[in-house]
Amino acid sequence: MDKKSYEPCATEMLSLAKANKVETVWDRYEQQLPQCGFGLLGVCCRLCWKGPCRVNPMGDGPDRGVCGADVHTIVARNLIRGIAAGTAAHSDHGRHIAKTLLEMSEGHAPDYVIKDQEKIHAIAARLNISPEGKAHNQILREIALATLEDFSRQDEKIPCTWLELTIPAARLAKLTALGVVPHNIDASIADIMARTHVGTDADPVNLLLAGLRGSLADYTGMYLATELSDALFGTPEPVVTSANLGVIKANCVNIAVNGHNPLLSEFICDMAAELNAEAIEAGADGGINVVGVCCTGNEVLMRRGIPLATNYLSQELPMLTGALDAIVVDVQCIMPSLGKLSECFHTKLITTMSSCKIPGATHIEFHTQTARESSREIIRLAIEAYNRRDYDKVNIPQHSNTVIGGFSAEAIVEALRKLDANDPLKPLLDNIVNGNIQGVALFAGCNTPKVPQDQAYLTIAKELAKRNVLLLATGCGAGAFAKAGMMTMEATEEFAGDSLKAVLRAIGEAAGLKGPLPLVLHMGSCVDNTRAVSLAVALANKIGVDLDQLPVVASAPECMSEKALSIGTWAVSLGFPTHLGVIPQVLGSSVVVDVLTEKAKDLTGGYFIVETDPQAAAQKIYTAIQDRRQLLGI
Ligand code: SF4
Ligand code: WCC
Ligand code: FE2
């Protein structure tokens, strides 16, 4: 690999790391090479202590594990356990938000307020909760309880509410016929764990169907997490900010927020403003500067315009600037290496959740009851750390790009409303039908040192933009585009095909942006992928088709996490062609591969496209869009 990362500051920072003998994720990846071929194919089973067993799919060696499980059973079991973990991660985040709403309604989370009343009313209406004659807290309570029922319902015939109410009727009917509609998020996770216990489900197709159900539980947990977070902290609106390590400021107390859950980071931002004078008093004349990393970064970027330092893979680099005074983490996608790394710098690593402690970190346990108090304590620790900053180690790359973010589905509809006040989706739909916009691609997923960081995102996006595909992004994909300056009007001018450019200009100018919409629309963190679905569902419902008929595709060019796996699987369950740019650990089973890439087409309409070469991937994604257009007759 000639270049490790396409992040604009990475090359500089990685040579600095090398010079100072600081180890990064790329070094550790190299130390792991060559990685185990059995693991890469998904054919190693460690489910019981008669194993580990491994089957060589080339027919060389035993063809079954000690218990008699064959390669298809083993691969399918491993795969759906990953889906269960991804679902657990997302939905636990959702549960945390829903429980906060319940606590608020009972007066037990005094620091929280509902910032978006309109959204709370929209949610109540969606959940068939009548506000008539009810106090505000009563409405919150009913919303929280109705939502939490998706984690507790025992009647298997009743679908999860947040799934049932957010997908087209035809899709629900299709999924019901397949028997993959979850009635309870936690039960779907438990079901996967139970059926993959030694000596239970051995049928790969039956196992994969349980995986589809688990993935739809993941969708449910994500959907409710985003909706309730918007109600609590505000539905994102277009906002201008910046990205790259240059957002770290030498004259400020710099605090990075990393992880996923906005419950704490929102207060860190508030408290940073409140305690700004203390930072100035400590000598930081710029005051407190909060920057984002990974998806907590995306959350506060979307709602507050907090600048983004970087995305997942390069989360070690902000500390290398020597000017990061604290990094506050919550849950998910936080590298354990930050603990050891923080020993080499003055940076205070602060863990905050009981489920995520890291050796080497200071733990300040966050509770919703005392959100402000914990935030205050954290900020004061950062100011203290600032006083210990070693100026010989300060080296901040002077590079940052503009980012226009904040494109919730509501914000996109609002922009379209400027073109057609009565029927805002019409202009978008008309332009898809007439081909000015060929289709829509959602970029999601992670980074991995297996491929040059961000490169595949940028290559595929530029190829598709040229061919007039509308681009959306979330999670670390959004981070990649933010850092590369692709979420700007200039990028639209430079990379969009003529007809796409004209549409983005018309919308942007009507919305008062004095220029086109950015080339890639930032829709939020990875839990917010459902925002893109809500837009697709609105389009599908408007023309009366199911989701598998729309020219809408998903792409995860650099995926690595179990969450990305569960997201990719629900994208397929919902009917979308879904590209993976990293080979999933399933190739050992021809049955599993066939179901995921071919048979799924008959079952759900969606399917996985696995293509590691970015140019070829762009072509395949574009072809999938053209296939859909042809079937629709447009
Ligand atoms: Fe081996 Fe079967 Fe145990 Fe897996 S479950 S480790 S294949 S004996
Ligand atoms: Ni979502 Fe992937 Fe980023 Fe983590 S934050 S690294 S799952 S895309
Ligand atoms: Fe994320």
Side-chain angles (χ1 to χ4, degrees):
M1 198 188 333
D2 49 345
K3 197 167 167 179
K4 290 186 167 116
S5 171
Y6 280 71
E7 170 168 328
C9 311
T11 310
E12 185 182 340
M13 294 315 276
L14 289 178
S15 9
L16 187 72
K18 198 165 182 188
N20 293 322
K21 300 199 168 41
V22 174
E23 189 185 82
T24 69
V25 62
W26 285 278
D27 302 313
R28 292 187 300 272
Y29 173 64
E30 272 166 24
Q31 289 158 19
Q32 287 292 331
L33 294 176
Q35 288 177 317
C36 170
F38 292 97
L40 288 169
L41 295 172
V43 299
C44 172
C45 182
R46 291 188 296 104
L47 290 189
C48 87
W49 291 358
K50 301 195 297 303
C53 303
R54 53 191 208 183
V55 172
N56 186 336
M58 310 308 169
D60 191 7
D63 63 353
R64 291 184 183 249
V66 176
C67 67
D70 71 5
V71 76
H72 310 297
T73 305
I74 291 174
V75 169
R77 284 195 309 213
N78 287 343
L79 178 74
I80 72 170
R81 279 200 166 202
I83 294 175
T87 304
H90 279 137
S91 62
D92 206 45
H93 171 161
R95 182 200 336 261
H96 203 164
I97 310 267
K99 279 176 71 181
T100 304
L101 216 63
L102 186 64
E103 288 165 4
M104 286 171 72
S105 76
E106 292 166 347
H108 295 142
D111 298 339
Y112 291 86
V113 288
I114 294 290
K115 286 204 179 143
D116 191 340
Q117 292 293 344
E118 210 178 302
K119 184 104 181 195
I120 263 298
H121 286 118
I123 292 171
R126 174 177 255 168
L127 298 176
N128 291 319
I129 294 167
S130 156
E132 218 53 36
K134 288 177 193 157
H136 176 66
N137 276 352
Q138 180 61 22
I139 300 173
L140 289 194
R141 185 177 166 75
E142 289 184 23
I143 290 175
L145 290 176
T147 300
L148 290 168
E149 231 187 300
D150 277 353
F151 294 87
S152 64
R153 183 182 296 106
Q154 295 304 320
D155 187 341
E156 287 168 17
K157 291 185 292 301
I158 304 177
C160 279
T161 306
W162 278 98
L163 173 68
E164 183 184 23
L165 298 178
T166 57
I167 57 175
R171 180 61 21 186
L172 186 66
K174 189 165 227 156
L175 297 172
T176 306
L178 274 177
V180 297
V181 172
H183 67 288
N184 171 328
I185 296 168
D186 290 345
S188 309
I189 298 166
D191 168 68
I192 289 177
M193 298 314 281
R195 73 169 63 220
T196 53
H197 183 273
V198 59
T200 312
D201 203 351
D203 177 340
V205 176
N206 205 41
L207 283 160
L208 292 175
L209 286 172
L212 294 197
R213 191 183 308 113
S215 77
L216 290 162
D218 182 61
Y219 166 90
T220 308
M222 291 172 67
Y223 209 115
L224 64 90
T226 297
E227 289 290 291
L228 299 187
S229 296
D230 280 355
L232 256 174
F233 303 120
T235 305
E237 290 171 9
V239 62
V240 183
T241 179
S242 49
N244 285 317
L245 293 182
V247 304
I248 294 172
K249 302 287 173 214
N251 66 340
C252 292
V253 172
N254 293 298
I255 304 176
V257 288
N258 182 7
H260 280 80
N261 198 323
L263 283 172
L264 170 66
S265 50
E266 281 287 323
F267 284 94
I268 297 281
C269 297
D270 283 345
M271 199 49 75
E274 273 188 54
L275 300 185
N276 204 41
E278 290 186 21
I280 296 172
E281 211 170 298
D285 54 19
I288 298 173
N289 179 37
V290 181
V291 301
V293 175
C294 202
C295 278
T296 302
N298 285 323
E299 295 276 346
V300 291
L301 182 154
M302 290 286 285
R303 298 200 178 91
R304 293 174 172 258
I306 296 288
L308 186 76
T310 191
N311 55 351
Y312 170 77
L313 196 64
S314 34
Q315 63 181 275
E316 295 164 318
L317 303 188
M319 228 190 271
L320 276 159
T321 63
L324 188 67
D325 302 301
I327 176 157
V328 187
V329 304
D330 49 78
V331 287
Q332 298 166 24
C333 304
I334 300 148
M335 286 189 197
S337 63
L338 294 183
K340 188 149 178 268
L341 192 60
S342 70
E343 288 167 11
C344 314
F345 293 90
H346 77 292
T347 313
K348 201 89 186 149
L349 170 67
I350 302 165
T351 51
T352 58
M353 300 284 170
S354 62
S355 62
C356 177
K357 294 189 180 179
I358 300 175
T362 302
H363 189 73
I364 298 181
E365 186 128 333
F366 166 77
H367 297 284
T368 41
Q369 293 79 1
T370 51
R372 278 175 57 82
E373 227 174 279
S374 317
S375 317
R376 189 178 297 119
E377 199 182 335
I378 288 169
I379 301 247
R380 291 202 167 127
L381 276 181
I383 298 175
E384 249 175 66
Y386 167 82
N387 287 323
R388 294 193 304 273
R389 196 186 281 179
D390 175 354
Y391 282 88
D392 290 340
K393 284 189 179 166
V394 173
N395 196 329
I396 311 173
Q398 294 304 306
H399 188 95
S400 72
N401 273 326
T402 299
V403 177
I404 308 177
F407 291 94
S408 58
E410 287 87 341
I412 293 174
V413 171
E414 206 40 51
L416 289 166
R417 205 182 290 285
K418 302 292 185 316
L419 289 177
D420 189 332
N422 297 321
D423 195 356
L425 287 178
K426 188 170 181 292
L428 180 58
L429 207 53
D430 287 350
N431 279 299
I432 293 175
V433 171
N434 69 20
N436 285 339
I437 294 176
Q438 287 290 313
V440 182
L442 167 66
F443 288 92
C446 331
N447 284 144
T448 166
K450 290 186 172 181
V451 296
Q453 184 188 14
D454 299 343
Q455 186 203 19
Y457 285 107
L458 305 177
T459 310
I460 302 173
K462 284 175 192 167
E463 280 301 317
L464 293 178
K466 197 161 72 185
R467 300 179 207 187
N468 300 303
V469 175
L470 179 66
L471 308 177
L472 313 174
T474 59
C476 293
F481 295 120
K483 288 183 297 178
M486 301 274 278
M487 292 173 154
T488 57
M489 298 181 185
E490 292 75 11
T492 308
E493 298 294 354
E494 189 175 347
F495 299 112
D498 288 343
S499 61
L500 174 66
K501 198 182 293 180
V503 177
L504 293 177
R505 263 195 207 138
I507 303 172
E509 275 160 19
L513 289 182
K514 298 200 176 77
L517 288 183
L519 184 72
V520 185
L521 302 181
H522 192 328
M523 294 198 90
S525 65
C526 56
V527 85
D528 296 333
N529 277 304
T530 46
R531 293 191 197 281
V533 177
S534 74
L535 203 59
V537 170
L539 290 175
N541 286 342
K542 189 169 166 58
I543 49 174
V545 300
D546 193 1
L547 294 174
D548 61 351
Q549 291 168 278
L550 294 176
V552 175
V553 295
S555 172
E558 302 178 17
C559 51
M560 62 87 200
S561 79
E562 291 166 315
K563 289 186 295 170
L565 177 59
S566 50
I567 293 170
T569 309
W570 66 242
V572 168
S573 304
L574 292 183
F576 300 115
T578 302
H579 162 247
L580 303 178
V582 175
I583 306 244
Q585 294 172 356
V586 300
L587 292 198
S589 165
S590 53
V591 172
V592 171
V593 170
D594 184 52
V595 170
L596 298 179
T597 57
E598 289 299 330
K599 292 229 165 55
K601 290 177 189 164
D602 302 328
L603 299 174
T604 70
Y607 55 96
F608 281 107
I609 303 167
V610 179
E611 178 52 70
T612 55
D613 175 66
Q615 289 288 349
Q619 183 55 48
K620 288 184 181 172
I621 293 169
Y622 188 69
T623 305
I625 288 174
Q626 292 310 316
D627 289 349
R628 292 276 151 109
R629 292 188 67 88
Q630 210 168 11
L631 284 173
L632 261 185
I634 57 175

PDB file of all heavy atoms in Angstrom, residues 318-337:
ATOM      1  N   PRO A 318      -5.240  13.143  16.767  1.00  0.00           N
ATOM      2  CA  PRO A 318      -5.401  14.416  17.475  1.00  0.00           C
ATOM      3  C   PRO A 318      -4.469  14.542  18.689  1.00  0.00           C
ATOM      4  O   PRO A 318      -3.912  15.612  18.950  1.00  0.00           O
ATOM      5  CB  PRO A 318      -6.874  14.405  17.908  1.00  0.00           C
ATOM      6  CG  PRO A 318      -7.551  13.570  16.873  1.00  0.00           C
ATOM      7  CD  PRO A 318      -6.544  12.504  16.510  1.00  0.00           C
ATOM      8  N   MET A 319      -4.249  13.415  19.397  1.00  0.00           N
ATOM      9  CA  MET A 319      -3.389  13.486  20.566  1.00  0.00           C
ATOM     10  C   MET A 319      -1.950  13.811  20.171  1.00  0.00           C
ATOM     11  O   MET A 319      -1.209  14.465  20.900  1.00  0.00           O
ATOM     12  CB  MET A 319      -3.445  12.154  21.309  1.00  0.00           C
ATOM     13  CG  MET A 319      -3.678  12.338  22.800  1.00  0.00           C
ATOM     14  SD  MET A 319      -3.473  10.822  23.705  1.00  0.00           S
ATOM     15  CE  MET A 319      -5.090  10.120  23.676  1.00  0.00           C
ATOM     16  N   LEU A 320      -1.572  13.327  18.970  1.00  0.00           N
ATOM     17  CA  LEU A 320      -0.209  13.556  18.492  1.00  0.00           C
ATOM     18  C   LEU A 320       0.098  15.035  18.234  1.00  0.00           C
ATOM     19  O   LEU A 320       1.258  15.410  18.095  1.00  0.00           O
ATOM     20  CB  LEU A 320       0.010  12.778  17.196  1.00  0.00           C
ATOM     21  CG  LEU A 320       0.398  11.317  17.376  1.00  0.00           C
ATOM     22  CD1 LEU A 320       0.089  10.527  16.117  1.00  0.00           C
ATOM     23  CD2 LEU A 320       1.880  11.225  17.697  1.00  0.00           C
ATOM     24  N   THR A 321      -0.940  15.851  18.153  1.00  0.00           N
ATOM     25  CA  THR A 321      -0.673  17.284  17.950  1.00  0.00           C
ATOM     26  C   THR A 321      -0.046  17.894  19.200  1.00  0.00           C
ATOM     27  O   THR A 321       0.458  19.014  19.151  1.00  0.00           O
ATOM     28  CB  THR A 321      -1.967  18.077  17.649  1.00  0.00           C
ATOM     29  OG1 THR A 321      -2.837  17.987  18.796  1.00  0.00           O
ATOM     30  CG2 THR A 321      -2.684  17.570  16.410  1.00  0.00           C
ATOM     31  N   GLY A 322      -0.136  17.184  20.320  1.00  0.00           N
ATOM     32  CA  GLY A 322       0.416  17.709  21.571  1.00  0.00           C
ATOM     33  C   GLY A 322      -0.424  18.834  22.153  1.00  0.00           C
ATOM     34  O   GLY A 322      -0.094  19.405  23.188  1.00  0.00           O
ATOM     35  N   ALA A 323      -1.499  19.183  21.492  1.00  0.00           N
ATOM     36  CA  ALA A 323      -2.321  20.310  21.952  1.00  0.00           C
ATOM     37  C   ALA A 323      -3.735  19.869  22.322  1.00  0.00           C
ATOM     38  O   ALA A 323      -4.616  20.702  22.522  1.00  0.00           O
ATOM     39  CB  ALA A 323      -2.379  21.387  20.874  1.00  0.00           C
ATOM     40  N   LEU A 324      -3.926  18.565  22.401  1.00  0.00           N
ATOM     41  CA  LEU A 324      -5.237  18.083  22.822  1.00  0.00           C
ATOM     42  C   LEU A 324      -5.173  17.890  24.334  1.00  0.00           C
ATOM     43  O   LEU A 324      -4.368  17.109  24.827  1.00  0.00           O
ATOM     44  CB  LEU A 324      -5.573  16.757  22.110  1.00  0.00           C
ATOM     45  CG  LEU A 324      -6.998  16.267  22.331  1.00  0.00           C
ATOM     46  CD1 LEU A 324      -7.995  17.215  21.653  1.00  0.00           C
ATOM     47  CD2 LEU A 324      -7.180  14.858  21.767  1.00  0.00           C
ATOM     48  N   ASP A 325      -6.030  18.615  25.035  1.00  0.00           N
ATOM     49  CA  ASP A 325      -5.916  18.588  26.491  1.00  0.00           C
ATOM     50  C   ASP A 325      -6.766  17.488  27.110  1.00  0.00           C
ATOM     51  O   ASP A 325      -6.413  16.951  28.147  1.00  0.00           O
ATOM     52  CB  ASP A 325      -6.283  19.978  27.028  1.00  0.00           C
ATOM     53  CG  ASP A 325      -5.368  21.022  26.401  1.00  0.00           C
ATOM     54  OD1 ASP A 325      -4.149  20.903  26.584  1.00  0.00           O
ATOM     55  OD2 ASP A 325      -5.866  21.897  25.657  1.00  0.00           O
ATOM     56  N   ALA A 326      -7.869  17.175  26.465  1.00  0.00           N
ATOM     57  CA  ALA A 326      -8.676  16.050  26.965  1.00  0.00           C
ATOM     58  C   ALA A 326      -9.384  15.393  25.808  1.00  0.00           C
ATOM     59  O   ALA A 326      -9.721  16.042  24.810  1.00  0.00           O
ATOM     60  CB  ALA A 326      -9.703  16.537  27.982  1.00  0.00           C
ATOM     61  N   ILE A 327      -9.566  14.090  25.942  1.00  0.00           N
ATOM     62  CA  ILE A 327     -10.415  13.384  24.995  1.00  0.00           C
ATOM     63  C   ILE A 327     -11.443  12.633  25.830  1.00  0.00           C
ATOM     64  O   ILE A 327     -11.108  11.838  26.693  1.00  0.00           O
ATOM     65  CB  ILE A 327      -9.608  12.505  24.000  1.00  0.00           C
ATOM     66  CG1 ILE A 327     -10.543  11.711  23.094  1.00  0.00           C
ATOM     67  CG2 ILE A 327      -8.630  11.574  24.668  1.00  0.00           C
ATOM     68  CD1 ILE A 327      -9.896  11.278  21.787  1.00  0.00           C
ATOM     69  N   VAL A 328     -12.703  12.982  25.591  1.00  0.00           N
ATOM     70  CA  VAL A 328     -13.806  12.458  26.400  1.00  0.00           C
ATOM     71  C   VAL A 328     -14.543  11.433  25.558  1.00  0.00           C
ATOM     72  O   VAL A 328     -15.018  11.752  24.466  1.00  0.00           O
ATOM     73  CB  VAL A 328     -14.782  13.600  26.766  1.00  0.00           C
ATOM     74  CG1 VAL A 328     -15.836  13.099  27.752  1.00  0.00           C
ATOM     75  CG2 VAL A 328     -14.034  14.790  27.324  1.00  0.00           C
ATOM     76  N   VAL A 329     -14.617  10.213  26.044  1.00  0.00           N
ATOM     77  CA  VAL A 329     -15.211   9.156  25.223  1.00  0.00           C
ATOM     78  C   VAL A 329     -16.446   8.581  25.900  1.00  0.00           C
ATOM     79  O   VAL A 329     -16.572   8.600  27.123  1.00  0.00           O
ATOM     80  CB  VAL A 329     -14.184   8.036  24.932  1.00  0.00           C
ATOM     81  CG1 VAL A 329     -12.941   8.606  24.267  1.00  0.00           C
ATOM     82  CG2 VAL A 329     -13.789   7.270  26.187  1.00  0.00           C
ATOM     83  N   ASP A 330     -17.381   8.107  25.071  1.00  0.00           N
ATOM     84  CA  ASP A 330     -18.559   7.448  25.647  1.00  0.00           C
ATOM     85  C   ASP A 330     -18.548   5.978  25.253  1.00  0.00           C
ATOM     86  O   ASP A 330     -17.936   5.169  25.943  1.00  0.00           O
ATOM     87  CB  ASP A 330     -19.857   8.207  25.295  1.00  0.00           C
ATOM     88  CG  ASP A 330     -19.982   8.546  23.823  1.00  0.00           C
ATOM     89  OD1 ASP A 330     -20.321   7.659  23.043  1.00  0.00           O
ATOM     90  OD2 ASP A 330     -19.780   9.721  23.436  1.00  0.00           O
ATOM     91  N   VAL A 331     -19.194   5.613  24.154  1.00  0.00           N
ATOM     92  CA  VAL A 331     -19.228   4.193  23.790  1.00  0.00           C
ATOM     93  C   VAL A 331     -18.966   3.986  22.291  1.00  0.00           C
ATOM     94  O   VAL A 331     -19.274   4.853  21.484  1.00  0.00           O
ATOM     95  CB  VAL A 331     -20.611   3.545  24.098  1.00  0.00           C
ATOM     96  CG1 VAL A 331     -20.795   3.347  25.594  1.00  0.00           C
ATOM     97  CG2 VAL A 331     -21.761   4.344  23.508  1.00  0.00           C
ATOM     98  N   GLN A 332     -18.439   2.826  21.960  1.00  0.00           N
ATOM     99  CA  GLN A 332     -18.314   2.316  20.593  1.00  0.00           C
ATOM    100  C   GLN A 332     -17.250   3.008  19.744  1.00  0.00           C
ATOM    101  O   GLN A 332     -17.236   4.222  19.622  1.00  0.00           O
ATOM    102  CB  GLN A 332     -19.662   2.396  19.849  1.00  0.00           C
ATOM    103  CG  GLN A 332     -20.751   1.558  20.486  1.00  0.00           C
ATOM    104  CD  GLN A 332     -22.120   1.920  19.954  1.00  0.00           C
ATOM    105  OE1 GLN A 332     -22.252   2.447  18.852  1.00  0.00           O
ATOM    106  NE2 GLN A 332     -23.133   1.621  20.739  1.00  0.00           N
ATOM    107  N   CYS A 333     -16.462   2.164  19.089  1.00  0.00           N
ATOM    108  CA  CYS A 333     -15.465   2.616  18.127  1.00  0.00           C
ATOM    109  C   CYS A 333     -14.394   3.522  18.745  1.00  0.00           C
ATOM    110  O   CYS A 333     -13.867   4.420  18.086  1.00  0.00           O
ATOM    111  CB  CYS A 333     -16.130   3.300  16.923  1.00  0.00           C
ATOM    112  SG  CYS A 333     -17.340   2.216  16.127  1.00  0.00           S
ATOM    113  N   ILE A 334     -14.103   3.271  20.009  1.00  0.00           N
ATOM    114  CA  ILE A 334     -13.040   4.010  20.691  1.00  0.00           C
ATOM    115  C   ILE A 334     -11.859   3.046  20.803  1.00  0.00           C
ATOM    116  O   ILE A 334     -11.995   1.962  21.368  1.00  0.00           O
ATOM    117  CB  ILE A 334     -13.501   4.457  22.090  1.00  0.00           C
ATOM    118  CG1 ILE A 334     -14.730   5.359  21.969  1.00  0.00           C
ATOM    119  CG2 ILE A 334     -12.377   5.158  22.829  1.00  0.00           C
ATOM    120  CD1 ILE A 334     -15.684   5.239  23.112  1.00  0.00           C
ATOM    121  N   MET A 335     -10.722   3.418  20.249  1.00  0.00           N
ATOM    122  CA  MET A 335      -9.592   2.477  20.276  1.00  0.00           C
ATOM    123  C   MET A 335      -9.020   2.375  21.684  1.00  0.00           C
ATOM    124  O   MET A 335      -8.672   3.399  22.292  1.00  0.00           O
ATOM    125  CB  MET A 335      -8.507   2.940  19.313  1.00  0.00           C
ATOM    126  CG  MET A 335      -8.876   2.723  17.863  1.00  0.00           C
ATOM    127  SD  MET A 335      -7.439   3.043  16.820  1.00  0.00           S
ATOM    128  CE  MET A 335      -8.252   3.214  15.236  1.00  0.00           C
ATOM    129  N   PRO A 336      -8.878   1.140  22.172  1.00  0.00           N
ATOM    130  CA  PRO A 336      -8.251   0.965  23.491  1.00  0.00           C
ATOM    131  C   PRO A 336      -6.842   1.560  23.532  1.00  0.00           C
ATOM    132  O   PRO A 336      -6.348   1.896  24.603  1.00  0.00           O
ATOM    133  CB  PRO A 336      -8.188  -0.556  23.650  1.00  0.00           C
ATOM    134  CG  PRO A 336      -9.221  -1.090  22.722  1.00  0.00           C
ATOM    135  CD  PRO A 336      -9.308  -0.132  21.584  1.00  0.00           C
ATOM    136  N   SER A 337      -6.234   1.707  22.342  1.00  0.00           N
ATOM    137  CA  SER A 337      -4.871   2.246  22.301  1.00  0.00           C
ATOM    138  C   SER A 337      -4.791   3.655  22.869  1.00  0.00           C
ATOM    139  O   SER A 337      -3.714   4.119  23.243  1.00  0.00           O
ATOM    140  CB  SER A 337      -4.383   2.271  20.852  1.00  0.00           C
ATOM    141  OG  SER A 337      -5.194   3.142  20.085  1.00  0.00           O
TER     142      SER A 337
END
